[in-house]
Structures are given as C-alpha cells and as structure tokens.
Amino acid sequence: KAGVTQTPRYLIKTRGQQVTLSCSPISGHRSVSWYQQTPGQGLQFLFEYFSETQRNKGNFPGRFSGRQFSNSRSEMNVSTLELGDSALYLCASSVNGGTGAEQFFGPGTRLTVL
Amino acid sequence: AQSVTQLDSQVPVFEEAPVELRCNYSSSVSVYLFWYVQYPNQGLQLLLKYLSGSTLVKGINGFEAEFNKSQTSFHLRKPSVHISDTAEYFCAVSDTGGSYKLIFGSGTRLLVRP
C-alpha cells in the first residue's frame, strides 16, 4: 500500500506570493492533518480534515487555509507569504482521525520564502 | 491544554549502549501518548503509543516506553542502540476527548557514535 505522498517536495517562493501544497493520504484513510515544522517552534498543528470537513484548527493566522476533496486528498494554501513561513510542512493521514489512531506522515514539503 | 517537555535536546551515546530519552507532559485531561522518530529528510514514523492498559509499551526497532501517571512521564528506552538509530525523536500527546491533534515536544536528537 502506498504511503502518504506530498507534492511538491521543495518549493521556493518570495514574500507576498501565495502557495498551495498537496497531500494524498493512504488509500482508505479519511482523515488528513497538517503540521508545520520549524527549528524555532518545532512541530505545530495547523488543521485536520475528515470527510471534507475541518474538525480542528491550530493557532495560525487566517493566511493559512486548507480543504479536503471527496477522494480525501487535501490541499493547504498560504497567502501573502512571510519569511517566517519557511518551514517543512507535514501531512499525516489516519483511517478516521480518532485521537488514539496512528497517524502516518508524508515526507513533507519544504517551503523556502525569500 | 496540553504541553510536552523533552528535557534533552541532544543525547550522544556509544553504539550498543543503553539509552533513555525523557518526556514529561502536562494536561488537565486524560491523554494518549506517542513517540515518533524522524530520520533526515523524512516524515515522522510512529515508534509506539500508549492508549490504556499495561504501562510498559513495546514498539518497533527494540524501543519501549513506560507510562508513569504520577510523574506524568513517558520515557523512551532502548537497551542497546545502533548507528542506524541516529535520528530525531519526538514525544507527543493527544487528549482522549476528540481534538484530533497531536501536541509535540521539541524533540531529542539521538546521536549514536561508533
């Protein structure tokens, strides 16, 4: 069974631009979560989607948004990029997102904002 | 709200020596506990998790962890490490009430030397 895939793997943008990252969960998984990983702040939860509905959101500004499609694939969008948005963005999927469920992580998209 | 503290940012150890990576958590509600490993340029992989039952949890690659409710700790141990165990290790918690998110510690870099 294929793992979680994220595209693109690397991305370079300039301040003020917007970016869209994509995540394809493991087949059969309906929950997708997004995390931001930076050296300073560590791993921080962005949001979680299940059956196209956002069930929880972390403490990030409104410039960060996401959505999930009927096939469970998910995208996250960051508008008006800032230098501080440079990070590794990780996507994780699980069968139903229950709090004890194992989350399977993708390799991440490394975003660099210049 | 929950928080996780990983007391050691880096742990150097010689190959075949035992190791313990420390994790303490704070929460006003019941939690589930997890340990994840991240190898360079990869996503996170679940090592083990504690949901309920026996406080000693065995995971993959010879790792184990013990849940201590009175000390709010969940330390990770391995009796004999290998060079290939060099990686970043993250302790995480999630509440049992359905917040659908993981709260991560800042990570401990395990450096195994020959």
Side-chain angles (χ1 to χ4, degrees), chain A residues 35 37 56 97 99-100 105-106, chain B residues 32 38 43 49 94-95 99-100 102:
Chain A
Y35 292 84
Q37 184 176 23
N56 201 355
T99 53
F105 283 79
Chain B
Y32 296 134
Q38 185 176 34
K49 63 181 178 181
S94 69
D95 67 70
S99 68
Y100 312 111
L102 291 168

Side-chain angles (χ1 to χ4, degrees), chain B residues 24-38:
Chain B
N24 287 87
Y25 69 93
S26 173
S27 178
S28 57
V29 298
S30 297
V31 295
Y32 296 134
L33 295 151
F34 306 81
W35 274 100
Y36 281 85
V37 61
Q38 185 176 34

Side-chain angles (χ1 to χ4, degrees), chain B residues 9 18 22 24 35 46 48 51 60-61 73 78 82 84 88 91 93 97 105 112-113:
Chain B
S9 59
R22 297 180 292 170
N24 287 87
W35 274 100
L46 180 68
L48 47 80
L51 302 184
I60 63 172
N61 300 340
S73 67
K78 186 169 183 178
H82 302 288
S84 59
E88 189 92 20
C91 181
V93 302
V112 182
R113 297 166 173 166

Side-chain angles (χ1 to χ4, degrees), chain B residues 20-109:
Chain B
E20 177 180 83
L21 305 184
R22 297 180 292 170
C23 172
N24 287 87
Y25 69 93
S26 173
S27 178
S28 57
V29 298
S30 297
V31 295
Y32 296 134
L33 295 151
F34 306 81
W35 274 100
Y36 281 85
V37 61
Q38 185 176 34
Y39 298 101
N41 299 315
Q42 294 186 28
L44 279 69
Q45 180 184 12
L46 180 68
L47 280 175
L48 47 80
K49 63 181 178 181
Y50 173 79
L51 302 184
S52 64
S54 173
T55 57
L56 182 62
V57 181
K58 294 191 183 297
I60 63 172
N61 300 340
F63 285 94
E64 64 180 31
E66 185 153 20
F67 170 57
N68 188 318
K69 188 174 183 179
S70 62
Q71 297 188 4
T72 60
S73 67
F74 191 54
H75 300 333
L76 181 71
R77 302 185 184 99
K78 186 169 183 178
S80 176
V81 295
H82 302 288
I83 297 288
S84 59
D85 292 324
T86 294
E88 189 92 20
Y89 291 79
F90 293 93
C91 181
V93 302
S94 69
D95 67 70
T96 62
S99 68
Y100 312 111
K101 68 179 181 181
L102 291 168
I103 305 297
F104 286 92
S106 55
T108 296
R109 176 156 183 76

